[in-house]
Amino acid sequence: MQLTDLTLLELAAKLASGETTSVEATQACLARVAQVDGKVKAFLRLDEHGALAAAEASDARRKQGNPLGPLDGVPVAVKDIFLTEGVETTCASHVLQGFRPPYDATTVRLLKEAGTPILGKLNQDEFAMGSSNESSAYGPCHNPWDVTRTPGGSSGGSAAALAAREVFGTLGTDTGGSIRQPAALTNTVGLKPTYGRVSRYGVIAYASSLDAPGPMARTVGDVAALMQVLARHDPLDSTSAPADVPDYLADLEHGVAGLKLGVPREYFVEGMDPEVEASVREALKAYERLGATLVDVSLPHTKYALATYYLIAPAEASSNLARYDGVRYGLRAREAKGLKDMYGLTRDQGFGPEVKRRIMLGTYALSAGYYDAYYLKAQKVRTLIREDFTKAFTQVDALVTPTSPVPAFKLGEKVNDPLSMYLMDVCTLPCNLAGLPGLSLPCGFTKAGLPIGLQLMGRPFDEAKLLRIARAFEREHDYVRRLAPI
């Protein structure tokens, strides 16, 4: 077994026992990136110098006998949407080309304080707008299970880097499923925390009321360990919740005996791949064997979630992306003949087709005469969707559904059909509209060897229970131990 085949917690144990060093682990990751990333294209840029310096500092602390956190010395990487001091951050867009932030996102700062070397910035859909990583201005990321297929999006690079064993943990963001869907398509684990649980400060905004930064890794325990570092109240983020943070690893092995798991009938949608549905149904049976009780529930407003999301998210995006005008940072159209011309040319040259599409949709929904008919009505439906979840959680401890209705699809297959692409998030985006925690974990493979994901959704700030439920299934199955053939 190579060093990079270890899970995050396995590496942490070897670091603690002295069997290896952070420098050795970081060098192994960099060597793995050099070996496979030409095919995967998970990384947009590496920070070899910074990562090795952090690894050396970790080894020095360990040698001196200083008290260390459990992740000290474990190499990670972050989606290019997180600000990283002095390291170019573009959100996979030409409009931010050359932008080097003067400070770290809170999540990045917390990782650094935990002692983790950060290898670099990971590929994504431009401004996190997409479900396949194909809207990246720097080219698509490829799925390590089949490099002709997508790893999902928008956090495709974060998922692919894990599946390709280039790094031990990553950060992603989830606005409509962008952590969970890529996790499902790559045989990894991804957690979208409750809105407000993890700070958004220093995370480039897409849709401010929906964006949720979160951890991704190869196992449930690894995600729990990362979540322990990230879950903090942050006074720099006005939406950060001052909620108590539990020990996410403490209850991980307590199983599901006695728990009630809801199965929403609306999530087994028409057109779902039969192999996906079969794997999810088998996972439900496994939970029954483990002592959980399955409860049939209904979330009747789910059918409106897709339309609701694609009014609210573009509306917020059109406002958030107005700041990219060539004046303060990033790209500036030099051939412009005046200020207004510079605004127009900079945005035309800097933004890709999907970003322009969503800005236009959002601007239309917010325009005079349409605000009440579209945006305001969407917000009212959003409330109904959340009330559906609230009612369901009076009956059950968590909900179990498919994560993605299909396994990884071919690159280029849906790029010219935006509506078909939007449908990829049909199972994940209601969770964002309601601000709830959601988790995806591996639950099987298709006959063609493509991963299938299982989604868990819970009450607000009940991430610990989701992790416990996920671990009960993971412990009985070896899916996470299967390695991508790259």
Side-chain angles (χ1 to χ4, degrees):
M1 176 182 280
Q2 298 181 30
L3 201 54
T4 52
D5 292 343
L6 298 173
T7 69
L8 181 149
L9 287 178
E10 287 171 345
L11 175 64
K14 287 187 178 295
L15 290 169
S17 67
E19 290 181 63
T20 191
T21 67
S22 181
V23 167
E24 289 172 344
T26 303
Q27 289 173 335
C29 287
L30 292 170
R32 180 69 178 167
V33 172
Q35 178 188 356
V36 303
D37 206 59
K39 298 177 183 177
V40 178
K41 303 187 186 302
F43 279 86
L44 292 182
R45 60 198 63 88
L46 287 170
D47 181 19
E48 294 185 39
H49 176 78
L52 286 170
E56 290 169 1
S58 175
D59 289 338
R61 288 191 294 273
R62 202 174 296 276
K63 189 174 182 180
Q64 292 164 5
N66 295 336
L68 301 179
L71 300 190
D72 205 308
V74 177
V76 299
V78 302
K79 186 176 179 177
D80 197 33
I81 203 169
F82 294 88
L83 299 190
T84 43
E85 183 179 358
V87 178
E88 187 181 16
T89 301
T90 66
C91 219
S93 177
H94 287 313
V95 83
L96 276 173
Q97 194 169 328
F99 173 55
R100 296 181 182 274
Y103 62 93
D104 285 324
T106 295
T107 44
V108 173
R109 174 179 60 79
L110 290 171
L111 287 173
K112 288 182 176 179
E113 290 174 356
T116 63
I118 299 177
L119 263 65
K121 312 301 290 292
L122 296 164
N123 206 347
Q124 60 168 88
D125 282 298
E126 184 180 7
F127 282 98
M129 298 181 187
S131 303
S132 66
N133 215 138
E134 290 174 279
S135 74
S136 170
Y138 301 98
C141 186
H142 299 253
N143 194 322
W145 291 91
D146 178 349
V147 293
T148 68
R149 296 177 183 268
T150 175
S154 64
S155 305
S158 299
L162 292 167
R165 306 183 298 287
E166 296 175 306
V167 70
F168 296 93
T170 62
L171 290 189
T173 60
D174 193 311
T175 305
S178 290
I179 285 175
R180 289 161 289 152
Q181 185 247 18
L185 270 52
T186 58
N187 200 50
T188 57
V189 182
L191 173 64
K192 175 229 172 278
T194 307
Y195 185 82
R197 173 63 95 181
V198 174
S199 174
R200 292 187 301 112
Y201 181 75
V203 181
I204 296 171
Y206 164 19
S208 300
S209 73
L210 299 165
D211 296 343
M216 303 179 73
R218 299 222 304 273
T219 71
V220 173
D222 291 356
V223 165
L226 283 167
M227 190 64 183
Q228 202 68 56
V229 171
L230 300 172
R232 297 282 188 280
H233 175 243
D234 182 11
L236 297 174
D237 175 5
S238 62
T239 60
S240 177
D244 291 337
V245 179
D247 183 339
Y248 291 112
L249 289 165
D251 294 334
L252 209 56
E253 304 296 339
H254 285 188
V256 295
L259 295 183
K260 293 181 178 180
L261 303 181
V263 184
R265 62 183 73 107
E266 292 84 1
Y267 278 70
F268 292 87
V269 297
E270 185 179 346
M272 178 173 291
D273 184 282
E275 289 186 275
V276 170
E277 180 167 356
S279 285
V280 173
R281 297 286 187 192
E282 187 56 44
L284 292 169
K285 293 177 184 176
Y287 273 121
E288 282 191 302
R289 291 193 296 270
L290 292 170
T293 301
L294 299 184
V295 180
D296 183 52
V297 299
S298 177
L299 302 171
H301 293 95
T302 296
K303 61 185 177 182
Y304 303 117
L306 192 70
T308 300
Y309 176 87
Y310 278 104
L311 281 168
I312 293 173
E316 295 185 7
S318 73
S319 177
N320 279 326
L321 271 62
R323 70 194 67 175
Y324 305 108
D325 53 13
V327 175
R328 286 156 290 190
Y329 36 67
L331 179 72
R332 175 180 294 180
R334 298 293 178 184
E335 67 274 28
K337 294 181 173 59
L339 185 63
K340 187 175 180 181
D341 195 34
M342 185 197 74
Y343 290 162
L345 286 173
T346 296
R347 291 169 69 80
D348 181 48
Q349 295 170 14
F351 291 139
E354 184 58 35
V355 174
K356 291 175 182 175
R357 182 181 294 116
R358 298 196 192 197
I359 289 173
M360 292 173 69
L361 284 169
T363 303
Y364 181 83
L366 292 176
S367 61
Y370 295 103
Y371 178 90
D372 288 350
Y374 294 111
Y375 183 73
L376 186 60
K377 187 168 286 187
Q379 291 288 15
K380 291 178 179 178
V381 176
R382 180 181 189 173
T383 299
L384 295 175
I385 291 169
R386 181 172 180 112
E387 287 174 352
D388 284 350
F389 281 107
T390 301
K391 183 179 179 181
F393 286 126
T394 64
Q395 307 171 57
V396 298
D397 295 288
L399 300 170
V400 187
T401 77
T403 307
S404 170
V406 298
F409 49 92
K410 292 279 188 180
L411 290 165
E413 182 179 326
K414 300 178 186 294
V415 73
N416 294 317
D417 185 357
L419 184 57
S420 176
M421 188 75 80
Y422 296 167
L423 287 168
M424 293 303 99
D425 296 329
V426 68
C427 294
T428 54
L429 54 83
C431 185
N432 298 78
L433 290 168
L436 302 174
L439 180 149
S440 181
L441 72 153
C443 75
F445 289 85
T446 68
K447 291 176 182 176
L450 298 174
I452 297 170
L454 183 72
Q455 179 177 221
L456 308 175
M457 292 181 283
R459 298 186 182 99
F461 302 102
D462 208 5
E463 291 86 0
K465 187 170 288 179
L466 289 189
L467 290 162
R468 168 187 163 190
I469 295 168
R471 175 57 186 152
F473 181 83
E474 179 186 76
R475 191 168 54 235
E476 301 295 318
H477 301 81
D478 65 350
Y479 300 128
V480 298
R481 288 293 172 186
R482 289 179 61 171
L483 303 180
I486 191 167

